[in-house]
Amino acid sequence: MQTLAIIFLNVFAICAPASDSAPAGRSSTGQPDAAAAVALAYAQRIKPFLATYCLDCHNAQKHKGDLDLGALGGDPAALTRTTLWRDCATKLRASDMPPEKAKQPSDAERDAFATWVRSLKALCPPDPGPGMIRRLSQVEYANTLHDLLGADPKVAASLPQDAVGEGFSSAISPLLMEKYLLVADEVLDRLITPDQLTVEWRAGQLDAVVGGHPDAGRADGAERRFSGPGEMTATIAAPVAGTYTVRVHAAAEKVASAEAARLAVRIDGQVVGEVKVTAAPKAPGTYVVTCKLPVGRARLSLLMANPYVDPPLARKPALPGKPVPTPPAKPGAKPAAPGPAAPPADAAPALRTVIVDSIEVTGPPAAAPSEAQRRLFVAVPGKDLSKREAARRIASAFARRAYRRPAAPDEIETLLKVFDLADGQDEVFAEAIKLMLKATLVSPAFLYLTPDDGSLVGDDGAIVALGDHQLASRLSYLFWSTMPDDELSALADARTLHLPATIAAQVRRLIADPRSRALFAGFGAPWLGLDKLPDLAVDEQRFPLMTRAMREAMYEEGALVFAAILREDRSLVEFVDCDFTYLNATLARVYGLEGTVTGAQMSRVHLTDGNRGGVLTMPGVLAVTSLPTRTSPPRRGRWVLEQILGQAPPPPPADVPPLDRQAQAGAGGAALSLRARTERHRSDPACSGCHRTLDPIGFGLEGFDAIGRWREHDDGGAALDTAGVLPGNLAFRSPQDLKRLIAARRDDLCRTLVGKILAYTLCHRLDGYDEVVADGLAAEVARGGYHFQDVWVRVATSYPFLNRRITR
């Protein structure tokens, strides 16, 4: 015995963390002493317990359930298998093991085993688990867009319908990113009205072709002189479709010709207008062309339409009586783009000279900006403020809200580069800002809940505390599924949010707010299974009451009961047994209260029937734990074990046929009741282990049909028998008795709820030190009277909630 203890002592000494403070459940003298105590307890008490009650079935020869407990006796790593020992303790506590006919341990022995397992789990080093750098869920994303920009949450309807919690995936596929881009476009296009386009170029700044040779524009370019053929080009970014005005400031040198110099304006190769330049170089004139432009980018060009002077003497006179024919124009044909006129064949060409000073393009009048746009545009460029500085101020203010923390300088510079890209392509200010805001909405800092500095600085495996801004996001998305409000943000800015008393006060404030309904959608509905109601398969011919309105009322009942227990800070035991619920006229038909409750509005109803009240007998829960055509005692029993008592039975063997495919008649040919068929199913040795616990609970709820109506007979007309016996020889005769027995196991209910809430909060399955934390939190909640708000306060102030492990 002493040798085994020394081996285990060495194993745990190697695994012990280097820390000056011992977590709850550890020996005050240090980790090695606690490990030694656990190892000695294993050698002196647990091994004899296993030999007496377990090794007859779980040995090298039989190893039922693929478990050989005998092989663990000499394995130095046996005590590191905390999951195995936890499962053993769960089965012992539920009296699933040892089998019914085997020798049974006393309650004191079962408790001693469970106590040893808890002390074993407490040896795990403190670890908050992998850091919660996760993306926003579909609901969170939609709510955040609403609070950030006033967008209708329905704008995110095309995104995948995912839910936060254990096993949540933070991956963003290329298809999902494309959807984010489309949503951002739609939101910002509705929010920001385009400015009127006003863009002006000095002619020398534009690229040109002069005399057949390219001549690149220069930033300091001034006027541009064309003597003969020439063309200059620019790009217009039209923010909206409409009528635009092109103003050309130009002059022409005098030539010996009655024909004035002409400049043609083309858009994407099509002539949209032509002007005659008659102003002298000493007094340039302004010449105007209007045209229609679609939204988007277009190529504007200005070219000499008649670069050559045609000497009058060089012209050949037309023959008398034979005018020069002109080809008829085709109806609807666009005017052909004028090209340089060919010089006369019998004379040296004289060139026209035009001096273009500048080109200006203005767009249609802009619509008045919305109130939301005015809030976004905290700065506008003007005489004393450059466009880039105005963009910087807008980016800093918007990123602070969108990222739920102050943006780092390099993050602001990244956004300004996007602005520069748009501004450099002559986008109007509002459009350049829109592109910058779009970049914000598709950045990881917006789509993910990130640390305060937006980075993952630190060594791999290092454990660091959450910053106040990340904590503010963690709280707001936990309780409201949206971004922090002004109060949370102010506390984060002041660096006081992390104080336990402040967190506790904020948790209770968040719960009191109507937005905490999101907590039911995120946690409560999946916990109860009510999120399955909209798509639940039900035989509508057998159950015509199961309409869409009925499903919605069933969901609302669960949401309102959950909210009442939470906001009124009632005991979590009332989830199992309470004397009130919420009904409308639709759901009252299931309760048999048609004459008492009227109207479509859900209202609080006091229940006098002891068989009603609590989630076990809630019609929505009874429906989702039934089959499409009938009830299912095993399903209902399994739901109670898993969701209420925290005991997960193993899946059924693959080779056992479903109940409905087994014989439904007895030896004499008489039809068997559902209970009789289920008991025959349970007689299979492969099924009896689980069904011994599952079925009695399910039979206790057989007084309710597949949509939760009370009944006295089953579908075959047989009288119902709702009596049963739970492990521990606990007998019941009705749902009321069953609820009383389950409610009495309030510590199991408390530990189950705490564990599920902690896993939901951390977004991963509880493991290792998480189990230690959950045990400790459940004990604290129990000592405080099992108040439901206390669960959330203690989870929000727990070690894994306030810290993260850097994982690379």
Side-chain angles (χ1 to χ4, degrees), residues 8 11-12 15 26 31 35 38-39 42 46 67 69 72 75-93 113-125 127 751 765-773 775:
F8 285 133
V11 170
F12 286 110
C15 299
R26 295 193 181 198
Q31 174 78 10
V38 171
Y42 177 81
I46 302 306
L67 179 60
L69 292 175
L72 296 178
D75 183 2
L79 298 192
T80 64
R81 301 181 62 180
T82 54
T83 302
L84 167 65
W85 297 118
R86 181 196 62 201
D87 292 344
C88 290
T90 299
K91 292 183 179 298
L92 281 168
R93 185 175 66 250
F113 190 94
T115 300
W116 176 80
V117 171
R118 285 194 295 272
S119 65
L120 174 62
K121 289 191 293 184
L123 293 173
C124 297
D127 183 1
R751 176 59 178 80
R765 183 182 180 86
L766 298 188
D767 189 28
Y769 190 67
D770 297 333
E771 296 282 357
V772 179
V773 172
D775 289 345

Side-chain angles (χ1 to χ4, degrees), residues 379-423:
V380 291
K383 179 180 178 182
D384 300 322
L385 188 66
S386 68
K387 289 195 291 183
R388 198 173 198 275
E389 183 56 32
R392 180 185 296 278
R393 296 183 186 182
I394 294 172
S396 297
F398 184 70
R400 168 62 184 87
R401 298 182 64 230
Y403 296 170
R404 284 84 63 177
R405 56 171 173 77
D410 62 324
E411 291 175 316
I412 297 299
E413 286 303 317
T414 298
L415 295 177
L416 287 176
K417 289 179 181 177
V418 177
F419 172 83
D420 292 340
L421 178 65
D423 186 58

Side-chain angles (χ1 to χ4, degrees), residues 98 196 267 278 298 369 511 531:
Q196 181 182 34
I267 300 293
T278 58
I511 287 173
D531 58 328

Side-chain angles (χ1 to χ4, degrees), residues 561 565 570 573-581 607 609-610 612-615 617-618 739:
V561 170
I565 294 175
R570 303 170 79 97
V573 179
E574 291 195 58
F575 278 117
V576 174
D577 195 10
C578 62
D579 62 358
F580 70 92
T581 193
L607 298 172
D609 182 356
R612 291 290 190 179
V615 297
T617 61
M618 208 171 265
K739 290 193 302 175

Side-chain angles (χ1 to χ4, degrees), residues 664-723:
Q664 298 189 15
L672 295 176
S673 67
L674 178 60
R675 178 162 189 153
R677 300 199 322 263
T678 305
E679 288 175 345
R680 172 186 285 187
H681 181 82
R682 189 170 65 185
S683 65
D684 188 323
C687 305
S688 61
C690 294
H691 283 273
R692 185 162 56 91
T693 305
L694 290 174
D695 293 349
I697 297 175
F699 289 140
L701 299 173
E702 271 293 275
F704 303 99
D705 72 4
I707 63 171
R709 293 175 298 188
W710 181 257
R711 60 182 182 170
E712 299 291 342
H713 300 85
D714 67 10
D715 295 337
L720 286 169
D721 179 6
T722 58

Side-chain angles (χ1 to χ4, degrees), residues 776-778 780-781 784 789-799 801:
L777 296 179
E780 292 170 357
V781 172
Q789 282 190 19
D790 202 22
V791 176
W792 297 96
V793 169
R794 293 188 182 279
V795 166
T797 53
S798 66
Y799 176 80
F801 189 89

Side-chain angles (χ1 to χ4, degrees), residues 503-763:
I503 295 175
Q506 287 301 304
V507 167
R508 298 189 188 277
R509 180 182 74 87
L510 295 171
I511 287 173
D513 191 283
R515 283 173 286 186
S516 64
R517 178 184 170 88
L519 195 59
F520 178 77
F523 171 77
W527 168 48
L528 299 177
L530 298 182
D531 58 328
K532 301 181 180 69
L533 277 170
D535 301 317
L536 183 68
V538 176
D539 187 334
E540 295 183 356
Q541 290 186 338
R542 291 194 181 194
F543 306 104
L545 285 181
M546 202 62 175
T547 60
R548 178 179 177 181
M550 178 66 76
R551 294 168 191 254
E552 292 174 350
M554 288 178 173
Y555 184 93
E556 279 299 302
E557 178 188 22
L560 291 170
V561 170
F562 184 93
I565 294 175
L566 178 64
R567 293 180 187 167
E568 297 169 20
D569 199 16
R570 303 170 79 97
S571 168
L572 55 84
V573 179
E574 291 195 58
F575 278 117
V576 174
D577 195 10
C578 62
D579 62 358
F580 70 92
T581 193
Y582 291 82
L583 304 176
N584 62 4
T586 299
L587 190 56
R589 298 174 67 183
V590 174
Y591 277 81
L593 298 174
E594 299 92 323
T596 304
V597 181
T598 59
Q601 187 70 28
M602 300 290 288
S603 57
R604 190 159 176 161
V605 176
H606 177 72
L607 298 172
T608 57
D609 182 356
N611 288 324
R612 291 290 190 179
V615 297
L616 272 67
T617 61
M618 208 171 265
V621 172
L622 293 167
V624 298
T625 54
S626 295
L627 297 171
T629 58
R630 63 167 178 82
T631 60
S632 173
R635 281 193 179 190
R636 289 178 173 177
R638 186 184 188 96
W639 182 89
V640 172
L641 285 177
E642 290 182 339
Q643 305 305 110
I644 304 299
L645 299 177
Q647 300 169 18
D655 57 348
V656 177
L659 183 63
D660 287 345
R661 282 165 45 195
Q662 298 184 37
Q664 298 189 15
L672 295 176
S673 67
L674 178 60
R675 178 162 189 153
R677 300 199 322 263
T678 305
E679 288 175 345
R680 172 186 285 187
H681 181 82
R682 189 170 65 185
S683 65
D684 188 323
C687 305
S688 61
C690 294
H691 283 273
R692 185 162 56 91
T693 305
L694 290 174
D695 293 349
I697 297 175
F699 289 140
L701 299 173
E702 271 293 275
F704 303 99
D705 72 4
I707 63 171
R709 293 175 298 188
W710 181 257
R711 60 182 182 170
E712 299 291 342
H713 300 85
D714 67 10
D715 295 337
L720 286 169
D721 179 6
T722 58
V725 178
L726 294 179
N729 202 30
L730 302 174
F732 61 89
R733 300 193 60 82
S734 65
Q736 182 176 7
D737 293 341
L738 177 63
K739 290 193 302 175
R740 174 179 50 80
L741 292 177
I742 293 176
R745 296 178 60 175
R746 53 188 183 179
D747 286 337
D748 290 334
L749 170 60
C750 180
R751 176 59 178 80
T752 300
L753 257 180
V754 167
K756 289 184 178 297
I757 289 172
L758 187 61
Y760 168 73
T761 301
L762 302 179
C763 288

